[in-house]
Amino acid sequence: MLQDSSGADPAQPATSAWLDSSALKESAEYSDFAQSDFDPDAYANRIIQAPEGKSFHRSDIASALSRLSFSLDHLNKQLHQQVAAHHEDLLEQVTGLDGLELALDSIKENLYSLNSSFNRVKSKIRDTYTQINTQTNELQLMQEGTEILRNVQRFLSLIQRLEMHMDEQPVGGAGLAKAATCVKEIETLMHECDLTGIDIIDPEIPKIGVAKDKILAMGDKQLLDGLHSQNQAEIASGLQVFYNIGLIASKSKSVIDSMLDVISKETQTALSVQTLSKEIKDQHALTDKGKKGVEVVNISGPLYTSQLWKRLEALMDIIYEKTAKMYLLERVLSRKRDPLSQTAYLDHVAEGMDGNLVRYYWKAVSITFEKEIRSAVKSSSFFHQIFQIGYPKLLRLFHDLFIRLNVTTAFSSPTGGPTTGKPGSSNVAGSGSNASAKQGAFSPLSPTGEDGSVAGKYASEPTVLLKALASFEAAYLRESLARLLEPVNQAFPEKLATSSRAGSTRDDVEKLLRAISRELEISKFDSNLLKAVTKNASKAINMYAIRSEHLVATDSSVYVIPGTPSCTPSQLLNIEIINCLWTLAEGVWKIVDEFEDDHVVVLLNDSVEAVQKLIQSVAESLIAGITRDLELAIVKMHKEDFNNRLVSKGSASAGANGADQSLSQYVVELGSKLRWVQREIMARLNCGEDVKEWYKAVGTRVIDFFLRHASIIRPLNTEQGKLKLTTDMTQLEFALNQWIQPTSLKLEAAMGQSYKALRSFRQLLFLDLSQVGGVHHTADIPKVVVAHHLIVRAHPLIHLPVTAFGWNELQYSDWLDVHSEGEAVALLIQCLEMYMEDVRKKGGREYRVEFVAVRNFLTL
């Protein structure tokens, strides 16, 4: 690019001029003039007023004019500079104006041509649109007219069909349902299309209302007649009429509500104190013949009670009648279905009844009954007393109601009592839909539906009716418990003389059993009530057992055989307690056998088991004490001398009483005590088979104890001593035969292994040492007894535990009672080791043959 002589850029003047122009616009002196809304007059006024902050503030007008003139000159100068700086560009633009005019002329011609074409197209479109719009309006009017004619034709056709169905003779059945369909279609048609004002239509409109009223009246008659006669076909026809006419839900609800209204009124009348009193007075008023108009009324409580129960029975009949109709209606509704949607009529009806027809009905009945019975009880204490005392009878009325409903509608009793229908049925018989399964009959499940099933959910609905009786049930159970505890309180008076300690008698037990049987018999029709009463009976039995236990004598006279011919008072008391408890237990089992309810068996079983445990406790304590006295007599054998020569029965040493002097004194004492126990104790115990077990237990213990101590008699080295012991054993066997005789058992069968051991031990006394080890000789004898006998044969070299440890015979016997056979064997081996130690200390090298025999026997 060429530059001038000064070296400046040619474009610099233009740039500087542009910068000067921008600086002028941004200058404070020219900023007001650069505004698009500049007003000269306003500017002049501001100069005159000279506001603060302006450049001409505090200056006169002449100065302002001078500054304006300077500014104008400055602007002119700037304009000249701009023109001078851009004169070439301006000349080029002036030259291009000729070409611009030519382009503008061409554009004008094209715009003219376009406008002409637009006008032509506009003319064609406007004519076509006008024609189409006119024809469209005509077509719409024709279609509307056609639709009206079609609806008129449909209306007239429906009217004709309606008249035809209404003229059928007799009117009813399918014809009435078709007429209802016609009315519904006509109403739908008139709702969708306004046909009023048409000459041919207006005269027919009043006929529709008349026909509808007639159809509804006839359909209502069909429905009510069907419910009254239990005719499902008639009910179905009536429901079909209301379904076709679109009133099935409202009509069904109206029918149910009318049933509920009847039940409400009858319940109010049945439980009204005023009407009951008036009715009784009217029936039992006796007019004095001598005084006209004067009534002599003789009314007692039983009359009120009898009349009230008659009223309640009549009320149950009414509830049964209405409920049976309700279930019949529900059954038909569940069977009838829409032919198109296959939806059961019951589903449509249930929408207006809280989703369930049956639940809606029972809820209303329950609320009504609860309200009225509370009002009656509140207004009359007599009603309250009757319902409390006669609660089972009141419950029986409901129970019979549910049984009757079960017979007619496959309804299962919610009271838990037996029914004649199929147990666990959850549907109305013949139900054909899921809705019916949900809303039909009920299963005897828990009142709250604890199983979570649909049947469980709806099974609680009838039981709501029984909640009104909850307070009466609680009061009745309290009275029942009081009646059951009354015989117990009479048997065990609270206040007794300090010197008296008399127990209950069997008459008291019989009174208690009769009370239990009576209370269970009254409540057996209902399993829930029976369960509650059984709990009360269990409480009474437990109370009797507790008081008997407190009365048991525990003094020392109970556990000894006295020197007197008869029992001590404490023993007699305990025997009577045992007999009474056993009688109670057996009586309760007989009562349980009469009932098949599992709850009765379980609840009373626990109480009877507690009684039986108490019987065993008292009897075992008594028998254990007496047995201990017998053991003390047996222990006296260790004071006998079994090595003296026997004296024959006929010798001079015979006593004055003729007793056999060859018998040991302890055997005579033992036989005497056994006879006394048999006569004074066992004969007084009337406890059935338990007495036999006690006989066997005492006899077995006597034999085992005798063998234990007979095996440790020392010394027993002479034949005379062995014969004397054998004679004692024979006498013992004779005494035991007499002892076991009341049980009608043989001694071997009663005593079993113990008796066999006694017989075997008698032979063992006379066997050689080599024969003692034979299994066939010692198989029936306890191992410890055989070991004792072998050690006794080596007396006094080998010591028994009695001498080895400084015990007496009774202490050693008590030790054996509380230790096992293995521990006893270990103790005997320890005695053998003590013998071996003595031999070694004495320098001996040989042991007695008895030692070897005992060691070999114990280590087998």
Side-chain angles (χ1 to χ4, degrees):
M1 184 180 291
L2 295 178
Q3 297 181 349
D4 58 6
S5 57
S6 61
D9 189 351
Q12 184 176 359
T15 302
S16 60
W18 180 81
L19 291 173
D20 292 341
S21 175
S22 299
L24 288 173
K25 291 180 180 180
E26 295 176 358
S27 175
E29 295 179 357
Y30 298 100
S31 61
D32 292 337
F33 302 102
Q35 301 294 330
S36 61
D37 57 348
F38 175 74
D39 186 1
D41 294 334
Y43 182 75
N45 290 331
R46 285 200 302 273
I47 292 175
I48 295 172
Q49 295 175 0
E52 184 178 359
K54 296 296 182 178
S55 58
F56 42 81
H57 180 62
R58 295 182 180 179
S59 62
D60 53 8
I61 297 175
S63 297
L65 292 175
S66 173
R67 296 180 66 178
L68 288 173
S69 297
F70 175 77
S71 298
L72 288 172
D73 293 339
H74 184 266
L75 287 174
N76 288 329
K77 183 179 180 180
Q78 291 294 325
L79 287 174
H80 284 296
Q81 289 179 356
Q82 291 291 331
V83 171
H86 300 88
H87 67 277
E88 295 181 358
D89 295 334
L90 292 173
L91 290 175
E92 291 179 359
Q93 292 179 4
V94 171
T95 304
L97 289 176
D98 294 337
L100 181 62
E101 290 179 357
L102 293 175
L104 290 174
D105 292 339
S106 175
I107 290 171
K108 287 180 180 180
E109 290 177 1
N110 291 334
L111 289 174
Y112 180 76
S113 175
L114 179 62
N115 190 29
S116 299
S117 298
F118 175 75
N119 290 332
R120 288 195 300 274
V121 172
K122 179 179 178 181
S123 176
K124 291 180 180 181
I125 291 175
R126 182 175 62 250
D127 295 341
T128 303
Y129 170 75
T130 302
Q131 183 180 3
I132 291 173
N133 188 34
T134 302
Q135 293 177 355
T136 301
N137 292 334
E138 292 176 357
L139 178 62
Q140 182 178 359
L141 293 174
M142 291 175 64
Q143 290 176 343
E144 292 177 356
T146 302
E147 182 66 23
I148 292 174
L149 291 175
R150 187 182 297 110
N151 290 333
V152 170
Q153 183 182 8
R154 175 66 176 166
F155 180 87
L156 295 176
S157 175
L158 291 173
I159 288 293
Q160 185 178 4
R161 288 168 53 190
L162 175 62
E163 292 176 349
M164 179 183 65
H165 292 312
M166 295 299 294
D167 291 339
E168 290 181 1
Q169 295 296 331
V171 181
L176 188 62
K178 292 177 181 179
T181 303
C182 292
V183 171
K184 179 62 177 177
E185 291 181 0
I186 291 172
E187 289 181 344
T188 303
L189 180 63
M190 295 185 67
H191 178 73
E192 295 175 350
C193 179
D194 185 11
L195 298 179
T196 57
I198 300 177
D199 294 340
I200 198 172
I201 298 296
D202 289 342
E204 303 295 336
I205 293 178
K207 298 179 182 179
I208 298 173
V210 174
K212 182 178 181 180
D213 294 340
K214 183 177 180 181
I215 291 170
L216 292 178
M218 296 177 69
D220 184 66
K221 184 177 183 300
Q222 270 190 340
L223 178 59
L224 297 180
D225 289 346
L227 288 174
H228 181 72
S229 61
Q230 302 288 301
N231 189 326
Q232 295 189 28
E234 277 194 275
I235 297 173
S237 299
L239 291 175
Q240 188 67 54
V241 170
F242 287 99
Y243 183 79
N244 290 346
I245 212 167
L247 299 175
I248 182 70
S250 60
K251 182 57 184 177
S252 299
K253 189 175 185 301
S254 174
V255 172
I256 296 297
D257 289 342
S258 64
M259 296 178 184
L260 295 174
D261 289 340
V262 173
I263 293 175
S264 177
K265 293 178 181 178
E266 293 297 331
T267 304
Q268 186 175 5
T269 302
L271 297 175
S272 174
V273 181
Q274 292 79 9
T275 57
L276 177 62
S277 300
K278 185 177 183 300
E279 181 178 353
I280 294 176
K281 289 180 180 179
D282 292 342
Q283 292 178 357
H284 297 275
L286 300 176
T287 306
D288 190 351
K289 296 181 179 180
K291 299 180 180 179
K292 295 183 179 181
V294 178
E295 295 181 351
V296 180
V297 182
N298 182 18
I299 301 176
S300 61
L303 293 177
Y304 275 97
T305 304
S306 175
Q307 191 64 28
L308 176 60
W309 290 121
K310 288 181 181 178
R311 283 189 167 201
L312 290 175
E313 290 173 359
L315 176 62
M316 292 300 113
D317 292 338
I318 294 173
I319 294 177
Y320 164 74
E321 177 189 353
K322 301 304 179 184
T323 305
K325 290 181 180 180
M326 181 272 296
Y327 275 108
L328 182 61
L329 177 63
E330 187 269 346
R331 183 185 305 172
V332 177
L333 285 171
S334 65
R335 287 180 174 179
K336 297 289 290 183
R337 294 179 177 273
D338 186 278
L340 298 179
S341 64
Q342 291 300 311
T343 303
Y345 290 1
L346 182 60
D347 295 337
H348 297 284
V349 173
E351 293 176 358
M353 298 185 183
D354 301 331
N356 186 280
L357 185 151
V358 175
R359 180 170 56 192
Y360 174 84
Y361 174 86
W362 280 114
K363 182 179 180 181
V365 173
S366 303
I367 292 174
T368 299
F369 188 80
E370 184 175 5
K371 175 184 176 183
E372 295 301 331
I373 201 167
R374 284 184 177 179
S375 176
V377 170
K378 185 177 180 180
S379 60
S380 173
S381 59
F382 180 71
F383 271 37
H384 192 272
Q385 182 181 4
I386 290 177
F387 291 145
Q388 281 186 354
I389 297 174
Y391 171 74
K393 188 173 183 179
L394 181 61
L395 184 63
R396 186 63 178 263
L397 292 177
F398 287 99
H399 187 269
D400 292 343
L401 168 65
F402 295 137
I403 290 180
R404 293 169 66 188
L405 289 174
N406 178 65
V407 173
T408 55
T409 63
F411 174 90
S412 296
S413 171
T415 63
T419 62
T420 58
K422 183 179 179 180
S425 174
S426 59
N427 296 346
V428 174
S431 175
S433 69
N434 293 333
S436 175
K438 295 180 181 179
Q439 304 178 76
F442 304 94
S443 301
L445 303 173
S446 58
T448 56
E450 295 174 357
D451 60 351
S453 64
V454 174
K457 177 180 178 182
Y458 292 108
S460 62
E461 302 309 327
T463 59
V464 177
L465 186 61
L466 303 179
K467 290 183 179 179
L469 311 180
S471 60
F472 304 132
E473 180 180 13
Y476 174 77
L477 291 177
R478 288 194 297 269
E479 293 295 329
S480 174
L481 180 60
R483 289 192 294 269
L484 289 169
L485 292 178
E486 184 178 358
V488 180
N489 294 329
Q490 292 177 354
F492 304 95
E494 293 292 340
K495 296 181 180 180
L496 287 172
T498 56
S499 60
S500 63
R501 188 179 178 84
S504 63
T505 63
R506 296 188 186 183
D507 290 339
D508 297 326
V509 175
E510 292 297 332
K511 289 180 182 179
L512 176 58
L513 291 173
R514 285 195 296 270
I516 293 174
S517 178
R518 182 173 58 254
E519 293 298 327
L520 294 179
E521 183 69 25
I522 292 174
S523 60
K524 70 178 182 180
F525 70 92
D526 180 76
S527 62
N528 294 326
L529 180 61
L530 179 61
K531 181 179 178 181
V533 173
T534 303
K535 290 181 179 179
N536 287 345
S538 179
K539 292 178 182 178
I541 296 171
N542 293 336
M543 179 61 69
Y544 184 91
I546 291 171
R547 293 196 176 183
S548 296
E549 184 177 9
H550 291 165
L551 202 62
V552 172
T554 58
D555 56 275
S556 59
S557 63
V558 177
Y559 309 112
V560 297
I561 299 176
T564 58
S566 61
C567 297
T568 64
S570 297
Q571 289 173 336
L572 290 174
L573 174 62
N574 286 3
I575 290 172
E576 186 63 23
I577 290 175
I578 293 171
N579 290 334
C580 289
L581 289 173
W582 189 86
T583 303
L584 175 62
E586 289 299 311
V588 172
W589 280 128
K590 290 180 181 179
I591 294 173
V592 170
D593 291 339
E594 299 176 3
F595 297 90
E596 298 179 356
D597 193 286
D598 293 337
H599 295 297
V600 176
V601 176
V602 172
L603 292 172
L604 292 183
N605 181 62
D606 294 340
S607 299
V608 174
E609 286 183 355
V611 171
Q612 290 176 337
K613 288 180 181 179
L614 180 58
I615 293 172
Q616 294 299 326
S617 175
V618 178
E620 289 175 1
S621 298
L622 177 62
I623 294 173
I626 294 173
T627 304
R628 185 64 172 179
D629 207 331
L630 297 175
E631 292 173 358
L632 294 176
I634 296 173
V635 171
K636 293 179 181 180
M637 72 167 59
H638 297 289
K639 298 180 180 180
E640 294 286 336
D641 185 1
F642 287 90
N643 291 320
N644 289 337
R645 183 177 297 273
L646 297 176
V647 180
S648 63
K649 181 176 179 181
S651 64
S653 59
N657 56 2
D660 192 348
Q661 297 299 318
S662 64
L663 295 178
S664 300
Q665 185 63 33
Y666 76 93
V667 175
V668 177
E669 181 182 350
L670 177 62
S672 175
K673 288 188 175 183
L674 281 173
R675 289 190 295 273
W676 185 92
V677 172
Q678 182 187 43
R679 182 183 68 253
E680 298 297 330
I681 302 295
M682 306 303 290
R684 297 177 188 270
L685 291 172
N686 301 315
C687 301
E689 294 297 322
D690 291 343
V691 179
K692 290 185 179 181
E693 296 299 323
W694 296 333
Y695 268 108
K696 291 191 289 185
V698 172
T700 302
R701 176 61 179 176
V702 167
I703 293 177
D704 293 342
F705 197 83
F706 180 88
L707 287 177
R708 179 185 300 170
H709 286 271
S711 67
I712 62 175
I713 293 175
R714 60 201 185 284
L716 191 63
N717 298 325
T718 64
E719 292 297 322
Q720 291 84 354
K722 294 178 181 180
L723 289 174
K724 182 176 182 180
L725 182 58
T726 303
T727 303
D728 292 343
M729 294 171 65
T730 303
Q731 181 63 26
L732 174 64
E733 186 175 348
F734 176 74
L736 290 175
N737 267 314
Q738 291 182 330
W739 166 261
I740 205 68
Q741 187 176 2
T743 64
S744 301
L745 296 175
K746 293 184 178 181
L747 191 60
E748 184 175 358
M751 306 306 173
Q753 190 65 29
S754 297
Y755 178 71
K756 292 180 180 179
L758 179 65
R759 301 293 296 268
S760 298
F761 186 76
R762 182 184 304 169
Q763 299 175 5
L764 184 66
L765 295 174
F766 301 97
L767 294 177
D768 295 334
L769 188 62
S770 60
Q771 296 176 322
V772 173
V775 177
H776 60 285
H777 292 301
T778 59
D780 297 326
I781 307 174
K783 191 173 186 179
V784 175
V785 172
V786 177
H788 286 165
H789 177 68
L790 292 174
I791 294 174
V792 166
R793 288 192 176 193
H795 180 79
L797 298 178
I798 302 177
H799 297 292
L800 288 168
V802 176
T803 56
F805 299 101
W807 295 339
N808 59 39
E809 290 80 2
L810 188 59
Q811 289 175 334
Y812 177 53
S813 179
D814 292 340
W815 185 92
L816 289 175
D817 286 334
V818 296
H819 290 81
S820 65
E821 185 180 82
E823 292 173 327
V825 170
L827 185 65
L828 292 173
I829 292 175
Q830 188 177 353
C831 292
L832 295 179
E833 292 174 350
M834 294 170 65
Y835 166 72
M836 293 172 60
E837 185 67 25
D838 291 340
V839 172
R840 282 196 295 267
K841 288 181 179 180
K842 294 177 181 179
R845 294 183 179 181
E846 295 183 357
Y847 302 104
R848 288 184 61 88
V849 291
E850 290 88 357
F851 166 78
V852 178
V854 174
R855 184 179 62 180
N856 293 336
F857 181 78
L858 292 178
T859 55
L860 286 177

